[in-house]
Amino acid sequence: MKNTVALNQKNLVQIKDYIPIPKFDRRGLKCGIVHIGIGGFHRAHQAFYTHKLLELSNSQKWGICGVGLREGDIDMYKVFKRQDNLYTLMVKHPNGKIESQIIGSIIDFKLGCNDSKSVLEQMAHPDTKIVSLTITEGGYNFNPVTSEFNFDNPDIQHELKNPHEPRTVYGYLTTALRKRFNAKLSPFTIMSCDNIEHNGDVARNMLLSFVKRQNQDLANWIESEVSFPNSMVDRITPVTKKADIAYLKKTYEIIDEWPVTCEPFIQWVIEDKFSNGRPEFEKVGAQFVPDVKPYEKMKLRLLNAGHSVLGILGAIQGFQTINECMEDEIFLACLRRFMDTEATPVLDEVIGVDLDSYKDSLEERFSNPNIKDSLSRICSESSAKLPKFLIPTIQESLANDGSIEIATLVIAAWCYYSDKGIDKNGQPIEVCDALSSELHQAAKRTKTDPLAFIKQESIFGDLFKNERFVTLYGSTLQRIYEDQNIKVHIRNLLQ
Ligand code: CS2
């Protein structure tokens, strides 16, 4: 191209000579899917599957309307408006190759915090068959220890008092379903795509708790008519960097203000229960199965927990990325030891999956040097992640007399990390967590009460009452406070 070209619908004719563009007519598409949470992951995963399906079939039913609920989504909203909801997906291969393509399955974007009415209208529209969610592990508003809905959340309180002013996903789902119920329309399916075991069941239980406080008839209708398929979703999607934007400009002279980068691997296992029809995602590689639970557990307890193990230990060691951790043979051995001796013994059998090959493939994926997945992304919101990824493994291993050494090292390291916020070389680590100040305060109290950090019951449950855990945690914590060279501690464990 002679001059740089901004990514938008009109300019696709120029762009198509350089990067593949959507092979379907976007104009005739209807919004069959409303997706809440248009972050990088959705754009690298579900929107990509949908794009492939639209290229394959002529179905006009399954365009996606993206929704952002929070003020933090405004920047993305503006970019989407400027780019006619188009973006570049950059798949980064381990050999350095980058495959780019323009994704066209998202055809609209609505912002709840500015215009909740139009979001609700879209959700209640007869064309909408599915509302899917990537609202992060922390977005489900439940106590991981008691599994109960958190009615103390001020936004939830507001919604209960003002049912026509939704703020959280629960307020939106309830108001939209109420509109459909009153209009005698079929409901939509609610499809959670977050990294939580039994994500569909959790979404269902939480929504029903919330609706029952307001309208029993509506709750009964949701209970009998709305499906909440569980699903396991997988594709490593690092945060977009300025260098990615610069790459597209330099290589193709395309200005995309917010491309998405990801690894080549992709997987989606979904339960085949939908209230109101579904896209034929199986035609583009998704697996529909009767029970997704063993797949979810395998992925969360190996991949996601493996990430957290490397992330927290690696951050203190002074590493920046997952692949940097994997280049260190002690960290690599630590990951494998954790997966083999702590996580695997508490997994269920996954029919058709060889766990050793699965773990080998995780090592390969984590080692991809082109991805540069930052430890700051991995460690962000650890207070919402670890109760789903790692702490259940410790609890189950304790119940089975299993091994817990590496997981305990991670928890002790997390306490140090939350307390000091520096790596072993004294460099600051930016802690990004909704509970960062609570974590910091609790960790700081370690000086006077060695168990203070793990006494945060909403994160750790009653782990602090388990003698075996407490003894190991106490001695590990002491060693980390004495010497922050994590490799020394790992080496001792591996002997
Ligand atoms: C990561 C996940 O957020 C995290 O800590 O483990 O985002 C992970 O990269 C994805 O779940 C991969 O599918």
Side-chain angles (χ1 to χ4, degrees):
M1 268 180 262
K2 291 216 182 69
N3 301 307
T4 52
V5 171
L7 175 59
N8 59 38
Q9 183 69 33
K10 181 169 72 55
N11 290 342
L12 284 181
V13 280
Q14 294 178 63
I15 292 173
K16 78 171 188 313
D17 295 335
Y18 301 87
I19 294 188
I21 63 163
K23 293 192 197 71
F24 50 90
D25 183 2
R26 300 175 76 225
R27 283 165 311 184
L29 288 179
K30 294 178 178 164
C31 289
I33 303 173
V34 170
H35 184 81
I36 304 183
I38 300 280
F41 181 75
H42 170 77
R43 299 200 282 148
H45 191 264
Q46 187 185 330
F48 170 71
Y49 278 105
T50 310
H51 173 95
K52 286 216 297 186
L53 186 63
L54 292 171
E55 292 204 321
L56 201 74
S57 74
N58 286 324
S59 167
Q60 305 260 289
K61 273 166 52 180
W62 297 114
I64 300 174
C65 170
V67 168
L69 297 182
R70 302 157 316 151
E71 311 232 307
D73 297 314
I74 292 179
D75 288 348
M76 173 88 68
Y77 171 82
K78 288 185 180 158
V79 171
F80 263 67
K81 289 295 151 199
R82 286 198 284 274
Q83 299 191 172
D84 298 322
N85 310 301
L86 292 163
Y87 61 94
T88 316
L89 184 65
M90 303 165 68
V91 178
K92 296 189 171 180
H93 293 264
N95 64 4
K97 189 173 126 201
I98 302 179
E99 262 177 302
S100 301
Q101 76 178 108
I102 309 293
I103 302 295
S105 51
I106 302 181
I107 51 168
D108 196 2
F109 193 121
K110 296 187 189 297
L111 201 55
C113 54
N114 276 5
D115 185 3
S116 57
K117 195 160 160 262
S118 80
V119 172
L120 289 167
E121 269 165 17
Q122 186 60 58
M123 289 169 80
H125 193 283
D127 286 347
T128 300
K129 312 286 182 202
I130 297 174
V131 174
S132 51
L133 315 173
T134 45
I135 54 173
T136 78
E137 295 78 23
Y140 285 78
N141 193 51
F142 71 105
N143 179 318
V145 176
T146 61
S147 298
E148 273 168 16
F149 191 71
N150 175 16
F151 282 102
D152 297 336
N153 175 338
D155 287 336
I156 297 287
Q157 296 269 335
H158 174 91
E159 291 175 329
L160 289 172
K161 288 190 199 109
N162 310 280
H164 298 289
E165 289 174 25
R167 285 184 179 173
T168 74
V169 70
Y170 295 106
Y172 279 91
L173 289 171
T174 308
T175 312
L177 284 168
R178 191 189 307 113
K179 278 173 180 269
R180 295 181 85 104
F181 178 62
N182 291 340
K184 302 210 168 4
L185 276 178
S186 315
F188 42 71
T189 297
I190 298 178
M191 181 168 73
S192 164
C193 297
D194 282 292
N195 286 317
I196 296 184
E197 264 175 70
H198 320 162
N199 52 11
D201 299 346
V202 170
R204 179 176 195 271
N205 293 339
M206 295 308 116
L207 180 65
L208 283 172
S209 308
F210 180 68
V211 177
K212 277 180 188 159
R213 282 265 171 118
Q214 303 169 69
N215 182 335
Q216 190 58 49
D217 289 342
L218 182 61
N220 293 344
W221 185 67
I222 294 175
E223 211 155 11
S224 65
E225 302 300 324
V226 179
S227 292
F228 297 76
N230 291 303
S231 68
M232 181 267 245
V233 293
D234 194 4
R235 187 169 226 184
I236 294 174
T237 309
V239 177
T240 305
K241 299 175 192 74
K242 287 206 178 89
D244 300 316
I245 298 173
Y247 169 87
L248 289 176
K249 185 167 173 217
K250 183 156 178 267
T251 318
Y252 303 111
E253 299 195 36
I254 290 174
I255 312 279
D256 180 343
E257 297 176 55
W258 209 322
V260 182
T261 70
C262 63
E263 62 169 343
F265 183 92
I266 186 162
Q267 190 176 18
W268 195 7
V269 189
I270 323 166
E271 276 172 11
D272 197 358
K273 47 175 198 195
F274 285 74
S275 330
N276 199 351
R278 66 160 173 85
E280 292 175 295
F281 285 128
E282 67 275 30
K283 289 194 170 156
V284 286
Q287 280 164 270
F288 283 96
V289 297
D291 180 12
V292 85
K293 287 179 186 143
Y295 295 89
E296 288 180 320
K297 188 168 175 186
M298 171 185 81
K299 190 250 167 177
L300 294 169
R301 304 289 189 92
L302 292 171
L303 186 152
N304 297 104
H307 260 167
S308 300
V309 167
L310 295 176
I312 290 176
L313 299 179
I316 300 184
Q317 193 66 29
F319 293 150
Q320 302 298 322
T321 60
I322 289 288
N323 57 290
E324 209 183 331
C325 298
M326 297 297 284
E327 280 158 23
D328 185 301
E329 57 183 24
I330 296 192
F331 270 70
L332 173 63
C334 172
L335 172 71
R336 191 65 187 216
R337 176 71 75 87
F338 164 76
M339 294 198 290
D340 285 344
T341 64
E342 302 190 17
T344 304
V346 295
L347 291 181
D348 309 311
E349 188 195 350
V350 194
I351 295 160
V353 176
D354 174 59
L355 277 182
D356 283 327
S357 330
Y358 183 74
K359 287 181 267 188
D360 292 344
S361 81
L362 291 183
E363 285 182 8
E364 254 174 58
R365 293 168 61 194
F366 286 5
S367 303
N368 182 339
N370 210 15
I371 279 282
K372 299 190 176 45
D373 197 7
S374 64
L375 300 192
S376 61
R377 178 184 89 83
I378 299 300
C379 296
S380 69
E381 305 309 332
S382 287
S383 67
K385 290 176 180 174
L386 297 194
K388 281 116 194 161
F389 303 167
L390 188 67
I391 295 167
T393 293
I394 302 180
Q395 281 154 337
E396 289 164 35
S397 303
L398 284 168
N400 294 345
D401 249 342
S403 196
I404 53 163
E405 279 68 20
I406 293 171
T408 308
L409 177 69
V410 174
I411 303 295
W414 186 30
C415 174
Y416 179 84
Y417 168 104
S418 308
D419 181 1
K420 306 285 182 195
I422 47 170
D423 68 17
K424 83 170 191 350
N425 309 312
Q427 295 302 313
I429 305 174
E430 198 196 336
V431 179
C432 175
D433 199 300
L435 296 186
S436 60
S437 99
E438 287 86 340
L439 292 164
H440 177 63
Q441 293 308 325
K444 243 173 69 180
R445 286 197 300 277
T446 296
K447 248 198 225 136
T448 46
D449 173 4
L451 301 186
F453 191 67
I454 56 166
K455 279 186 184 161
Q456 301 177 91
E457 283 186 65
S458 64
I459 298 175
F460 296 100
D462 58 5
L463 263 188
F464 70 96
K465 293 186 186 149
N466 183 294
E467 230 184 279
R468 183 172 157 224
F469 179 73
V470 164
T471 312
L472 184 62
Y473 172 75
S475 55
T476 311
L477 195 66
Q478 198 182 345
R479 282 201 294 274
I480 292 186
Y481 272 76
E482 280 162 15
D483 181 358
Q484 291 85 48
N485 189 348
I486 294 292
K487 282 213 258 182
V488 172
H489 306 304
I490 301 178
R491 219 183 265 125
N492 288 339
L493 288 184
L494 293 178
Q495 272 164 10

